[in-house]
Amino acid sequence: MTNDSLLARARTLDAEDPLASCRALFEGHDDDAIAAYLDGNSLGRPLRATTEHLPEFVRKQWGGRLIRGWDEEWLQLPQRIGDRIGRVVLGAADGECVVADSTSVLLYKVIRAALAARPGRTGIVIERDNFPTDRFIVEGIAADRGLAVHWVEAAYDAGPTPEEVAGALGPDTAVVVLSHVAYRSAHIADMEAITRLVHEAGALIVWDLSHSVGSVPVRLDACGADFAVGCSYKYLNGGPGAPAWAYVARRHLADLVQPIQGWLGSADPFGMGSSYQPADGIRRMISGTPPILGMLALQDMLDLIEGVGIEAVRAKSVKLTSFAIEAVDELMGPAGVNVASPRDAAQRGSHITIDHESFRTVLPGLWKDGVIPDFRNPDGLRLGLSPLSTSFEETLIGIRAIADRLPAKVLD
Ligand SMILES: *Cc1c(COP(=O)(O)O)cnc(C)c1O
């Protein structure tokens, strides 16, 4: 297919896209200085609704209600928004999700909670290529508690398979920590099969859903998952540093012990009691004062996703990444650019990584020209296609700009 027919195809796909009109709901979609935003998987664009809601909150809620706001609404927000995330995108029942902290801190808390639920077991299983913070948190906990880390080795352009996970499990395994969608390859792990294997080994699973939540539907309750965490600034468009969320399966709540016992996760915060008694339910995952300002924006994205339905978001995501692979093969395949993501759409999340030795050096020029993917070691450009804010034509503009910057010698 030629360059021109790719453009015609992108325009046809946009014309046929039932979610095409959503793009205009985002700030910056019509900004000429942003030719192609291909990093919505790392920081989602703000919704225009958010541009109105944030100052309104400062004026009316913070400015008008002052400290009364805590009793009137804010203290309940972590659970109320948690329930919505659970219902709209996670397949979780009310009372199983809460918004708090960062993903890293929540990982620490849920891994420690999982270990506490498996006393006597001494091993943590994690994938070698999991996101750095997941590995670093696990290494820290293992060193602190004298536990062994067992590494799952997965293929570079894929992610952990049930067989590979099974190979790392043993009678000492307490906890398994895996990403559902791999941060570099976008490979989707088989949550149901892996969760079953982990349970057969008598262990518990912690799923990191940072690259799934809001783009790839998950069914945490139906899969029997134990714990999960994820970001809200990626496909939930919560904004830079928006707090994360945690999921704890209902069956674990009654005995849940987490390591950062703070007053706002205690049974009677304003009783100012002499010792810690945990709150009932998911609330005990909270430690300190909830970051209310940080959790405002993601509610606007939840409104939008709930309106269109997460299955429609996924359908568009599959079409976007499939088109992106087609365009990369066409425009850059001959120059030796390699797609380092699954080619089977059913096994792929909402980004693709493409590899070429020149990519580290082309990134600054791309950013300067408003073409914004990101770079991931060793030599990958990651193209994140946030389904509600990214068009097919925008995707093609970005891929063409990358192709145009490949060193001339490799194009000969
Ligand atoms: C983005 C990401 C994180 C980020 O953690 P923070 O504590 O929010 O910085 C963690 N895990 C995975 C898999 C991610 O993709």
Side-chain angles (χ1 to χ4, degrees), residues 41-42 101-107 130-134 179-183 208-211 229-234 241-244 376 382:
N41 61 324
S42 193
D101 309 310
S102 64
T103 305
S104 302
V105 171
L106 283 181
L107 270 167
N130 205 337
F131 190 79
T133 216
D134 301 57
S179 288
H180 177 236
V181 172
Y183 80 97
D208 188 331
L209 304 183
S210 291
H211 277 284
V229 296
C231 296
S232 57
Y233 49 80
K234 292 173 175 166
R376 286 293 177 266
R382 197 172 60 156

Side-chain angles (χ1 to χ4, degrees), residues 21 42 74 80 111 115 143 145 156 162 165 211 245 303 308 314 346 360 390 407:
S21 62
S42 193
W74 306 335
R80 195 179 312 147
I111 294 168
L115 287 168
R145 306 288 310 280
Y156 167 79
V165 175
H211 277 284
W245 52 269
D303 287 344
V308 302
R314 170 66 178 158
R360 187 188 292 271
T390 310

Side-chain angles (χ1 to χ4, degrees), residues 175-245:
V175 185
V176 177
V177 181
L178 295 174
S179 288
H180 177 236
V181 172
Y183 80 97
R184 194 182 51 228
S185 73
H187 175 267
I188 301 177
D190 186 338
M191 181 180 284
E192 197 165 357
I194 291 174
T195 298
R196 196 181 320 119
L197 283 169
V198 169
H199 288 167
E200 281 165 11
L204 297 171
I205 183 107
V206 174
W207 286 106
D208 188 331
L209 304 183
S210 291
H211 277 284
S212 321
V213 62
S215 65
V216 179
V218 291
R219 293 157 49 245
L220 285 171
D221 284 348
C223 288
D226 298 298
F227 301 91
V229 296
C231 296
S232 57
Y233 49 80
K234 292 173 175 166
Y235 296 106
L236 291 184
N237 302 53
W245 52 269

Side-chain angles (χ1 to χ4, degrees), residues 24 50 70 75 96 166 352:
T50 301
W70 285 113
L75 279 173
E96 295 183 307
I352 64 166

Side-chain angles (χ1 to χ4, degrees), residues 349-380:
S350 204
H351 65 271
I352 64 166
T353 288
I354 57 176
D355 283 344
H356 191 270
E357 62 201 14
S358 69
F359 279 162
R360 187 188 292 271
T361 54
V362 306
L363 191 73
L366 287 169
W367 278 27
K368 195 164 143 287
D369 292 346
V371 173
I372 314 177
D374 63 19
F375 179 82
R376 286 293 177 266
N377 273 329
D379 50 18

